[in-house]
Amino acid sequence: MNGGQDSEVAGSAGPPPPLEWKFSQVFGERTAGEEVQEVDIISAIEFDKTGDHLATGDRGGRVVLFERTDAKDHGNRRDQERMDYPISRHPEFRYKTEFQSHEPEFDYLKSLEIEEKINKIRWCQTANGALFLLSTNDKTIKFWKVQEKKVKKICDMNVDPSRAVGNGSVAGSSISTNLKPYVANGGCLDRSDNYLSNDFSFPPGGVPSLHLPMVVASHETSLVPRCRRIYAHAHDYHINSISNNSDGETFISADDLRINLWNLEISNQSFNIVDVKPANMEDLTEVITSAEFHPTHCNMLAYSSSKGSIRLIDLRQSALCDTHTKLFEEQETPGSRSFFTEIIASISDIKFGKDGRHILSRDYMTLKLWDINMDSGPVATFQVHEYLRPKLCDLYENDSIFDKFECCLSGDGLRVATGSYSNLFRVFGCTAGSTEATSLEASKNPMRKQVPTPSRPSRSLSSLTRVVRRGADNPGVDANGNAFDFTTKLLHLAWHPTENSLACAAANSLYMYYA
């Protein structure tokens, strides 16, 4: 998956063995019976490019940052990897800081409330030891800088330290407030000394000189988040995606009908590069569901639609990219169309592989892996919710069929992952011949269980029948044999960019696993 040569080597050696996932840590764990507040539910999660920082956003508009601790304990991690130094500890993170990114707003022109929920977070390039990231709600994108600053303190005062308070003022009232006026050179117009209070005493030998208070930087540091720019008033519809460009200067934001291109330094204008809005809204047949820049080619990006298609566009072709370079979609099986066909075909998330050659897409029922050099169909299809097919009517009634699950790829491109119901998430091997299909529960006891799922697209009728039959054997249970729970769903997860480590968001809890 990392190029032709690597793929051939992997193919000749056979697929890698399935990973053994272990629990690492949890943040915000709920106690039994504890009610989850709506504002605390995690709505976005993202590792930075190094994997040393992790950011989460919640429905209350807050962004929480975590930093890796085990890499610091072992010195420079990259040097150790170069020396083939064995790293004994699994990845560990700790809480770093949090800040309020978005507040609830009201659009008076449209009489609409704009909720503060964070839809997406994307890390930007670091500079001078500061962290930069983009966060967005439905309408407004913000560019944040988080930097460590030394705490400044006041010292060198002419007062007894035991009688001074933290800001440098004298405790109590050692000096009377009834002070006489002073002239410019510091002399007093009234030479009488009765302006000093009774409890003020000169040190032995008098005061040789007046020490002015000095502000000095201490060894203590505090993290200061600062909003550098606000990109607003550019979307009529809800923003569903933001994505950084590899050039480090621009990013895109996408809503249901348009994709805009921004420069990080310019917040008052953007360029509309994709517009699928028809002249008559009654002719609207599909909307944009997700968009992402290519990881290395700054002129290429992909976006998905509610009809299950992915379009690859090249910014060099024209200023308005309404025509795509390539179209990726799977042809509908004759006779399989139903009322739910278009709903479950809608793609909720797409991700480029690190190599830039593959795109992973997630629709309601499946994960699909596409090769950008092959637009005839996906190179692999992974059944995620096939067991729910008999329940589509119930899922439609309770709106669960519209849930938007995210997906992610491992840094080496050998595996893919996505979430499901009952706080489960699935990990599939995507190399040739791999049958790895692991289901885990987001808890301290993941209860790993293998699910025999074909990792390649099943083209024969017998294979298709077998896949559907497996899901329909017991429609009341999930892949782990438990009754599935539509109220607990794992929508958001992220794969560490260089290691087999996963971060999963289950309601207000952040679970981390390693293999």
Side-chain angles (χ1 to χ4, degrees):
M1 295 270 305
N2 292 328
Q5 189 177 355
D6 292 349
S7 299
E8 288 171 14
V9 172
S12 61
L19 295 176
E20 294 286 334
W21 291 94
K22 302 177 184 68
F23 170 77
S24 174
Q25 52 192 145
V26 59
F27 297 95
E29 187 182 18
R30 300 193 308 276
T31 57
E34 181 186 351
E35 188 177 346
V36 179
Q37 298 297 317
E38 179 82 9
V39 293
D40 294 332
I41 295 176
I42 297 172
S43 57
I45 183 168
E46 184 82 0
F47 280 104
D48 71 348
K49 282 188 177 179
T50 65
D52 291 338
H53 292 93
L54 175 69
T56 64
D58 62 26
R59 294 188 184 181
R62 290 163 299 198
V63 171
V64 183
L65 304 184
F66 301 88
E67 67 176 347
R68 188 163 181 170
T69 57
D70 62 304
K72 289 183 179 179
D73 295 342
H74 286 285
N76 190 314
R77 190 174 190 83
R78 289 175 188 80
D79 290 345
Q80 291 167 7
E81 287 171 353
R82 234 176 266 123
M83 296 162 54
D84 207 19
Y85 182 88
I87 298 166
S88 56
R89 297 175 63 186
H90 59 79
E92 286 185 5
F93 285 79
R94 71 178 176 199
Y95 170 86
K96 187 178 179 76
T97 189
E98 69 179 86
F99 55 91
Q100 188 72 32
S101 174
H102 288 72
E103 300 278 0
E105 299 174 51
F106 191 81
D107 187 335
Y108 292 97
L109 291 176
K110 297 182 179 179
S111 295
L112 287 174
E113 288 185 6
I114 303 170
E115 61 179 349
E116 64 271 36
K117 179 175 81 99
I118 305 294
N119 290 343
K120 295 287 178 183
I121 295 173
R122 289 293 179 266
W123 289 91
C124 302
Q125 292 180 355
T126 58
N128 300 326
L131 302 174
F132 294 90
L133 53 129
L134 289 165
S135 62
T136 184
N137 64 354
D138 286 339
K139 295 289 184 181
T140 306
I141 306 159
K142 294 186 179 182
F143 183 45
W144 290 91
K145 177 183 181 180
V146 182
Q147 190 172 27
E148 280 192 353
K149 292 196 173 180
K150 290 187 176 180
V151 178
K152 292 181 178 178
K153 292 186 176 181
I154 296 173
C155 69
D156 287 350
M157 292 283 286
N158 276 115
V159 291
D160 184 358
S162 63
R163 304 188 57 189
V165 294
N167 62 0
S169 61
V170 180
S173 57
S174 60
I175 300 178
S176 170
T177 55
N178 184 24
L179 297 179
K180 300 297 180 182
Y182 286 82
V183 292
N185 63 359
C188 183
L189 293 177
D190 187 352
R191 294 295 180 184
S192 62
D193 293 332
N194 58 5
Y195 66 91
L196 294 174
S197 61
N198 295 330
D199 59 346
F200 182 86
S201 59
F202 285 98
V207 180
S209 63
L210 176 64
H211 290 183
L212 294 176
M214 290 180 61
V215 179
V216 295
S218 68
H219 295 295
E220 296 176 28
T221 58
S222 66
L223 283 160
V224 181
R226 190 161 67 91
C227 184
R228 293 285 303 275
R229 283 175 189 85
I230 299 176
Y231 313 90
H233 312 302
H235 288 277
D236 291 329
Y237 305 94
H238 290 179
I239 298 171
N240 55 48
S241 304
I242 52 174
S243 178
N244 311 70
N245 198 344
S246 58
D247 63 10
E249 296 180 0
T250 56
F251 70 94
I252 54 169
S253 58
D255 64 21
D256 293 341
L257 299 179
R258 293 187 177 97
I259 299 176
N260 293 333
L261 178 68
W262 300 84
N263 188 301
L264 281 167
E265 301 297 321
I266 303 168
S267 59
N268 59 0
Q269 75 173 13
S270 63
F271 296 95
N272 178 229
I273 54 174
V274 175
D275 190 345
V276 300
K277 184 178 181 181
N280 183 357
M281 284 295 281
E282 291 180 1
D283 299 330
L284 182 68
T285 57
E286 65 179 330
V287 295
I288 298 167
T289 57
S290 183
E292 185 166 84
F293 261 119
H294 190 280
T296 54
H297 298 321
C298 61
N299 56 289
M300 291 176 65
L301 62 99
Y303 69 92
S304 60
S305 81
S306 57
K307 278 194 167 181
S309 61
I310 301 171
R311 290 173 173 84
L312 193 69
I313 61 175
D314 191 333
L315 296 175
R316 297 172 298 185
Q317 286 189 341
S318 64
L320 189 61
C321 304
D322 287 339
T323 56
H324 51 266
T325 306
K326 285 190 177 179
L327 175 67
F328 305 95
E329 59 183 354
E330 193 168 25
Q331 297 304 314
E332 198 176 294
T333 309
S336 64
R337 189 166 184 81
S338 71
F339 173 76
F340 304 109
T341 301
E342 280 198 14
I343 300 175
I344 61 175
S346 177
I347 295 174
S348 56
D349 189 27
I350 60 169
K351 291 281 180 9
F352 271 101
K354 201 173 182 180
D355 57 3
R357 180 171 171 177
H358 295 86
I359 299 174
L360 181 67
S361 67
R362 171 72 152 99
D363 56 46
Y364 190 72
M365 304 298 282
T366 65
L367 269 176
K368 292 187 176 80
L369 189 67
W370 307 79
D371 187 327
I372 64 172
N373 296 330
M374 191 181 87
D375 52 7
S376 59
V379 294
T381 299
F382 311 97
Q383 303 294 340
V384 180
H385 280 163
E386 190 60 43
Y387 65 92
L388 291 178
R389 196 172 288 275
K391 290 276 185 180
L392 289 179
C393 285
D394 297 337
L395 294 163
Y396 180 76
E397 289 293 326
N398 62 21
D399 285 343
S400 293
I401 201 169
F402 301 106
D403 287 334
K404 299 185 187 305
F405 292 93
E406 292 180 1
C407 59
C408 58
L409 296 98
S410 62
D412 55 15
L414 300 178
R415 294 172 180 84
V416 296
T418 190
S420 181
Y421 293 106
S422 303
N423 279 346
L424 294 176
F425 62 98
R426 310 272 160 82
V427 180
F428 299 94
C430 53
T431 53
S434 174
T435 57
E436 181 177 358
T438 310
S439 288
L440 299 107
E441 183 184 19
S443 67
K444 286 187 174 180
N445 303 304
M447 297 184 297
R448 191 175 69 84
K449 180 175 180 178
Q450 293 291 341
V451 182
T453 305
S455 63
R456 291 285 155 196
S458 306
R459 299 199 181 272
S460 67
L461 186 61
S462 60
S463 306
L464 284 170
T465 318
R466 185 164 63 251
V467 171
V468 174
R469 189 167 64 244
R470 188 191 74 247
D473 280 344
N474 191 348
V477 299
D478 61 25
N480 267 354
N482 307 314
F484 46 71
D485 181 4
F486 297 134
T487 60
T488 56
K489 46 201 168 195
L490 199 150
L491 301 176
H492 312 284
L493 76 171
W495 202 302
H496 191 282
T498 59
E499 299 175 15
N500 287 321
S501 175
L502 275 167
C504 309
N508 67 326
S509 303
L510 177 66
Y511 288 91
M512 307 197 73
Y513 301 91
Y514 70 99

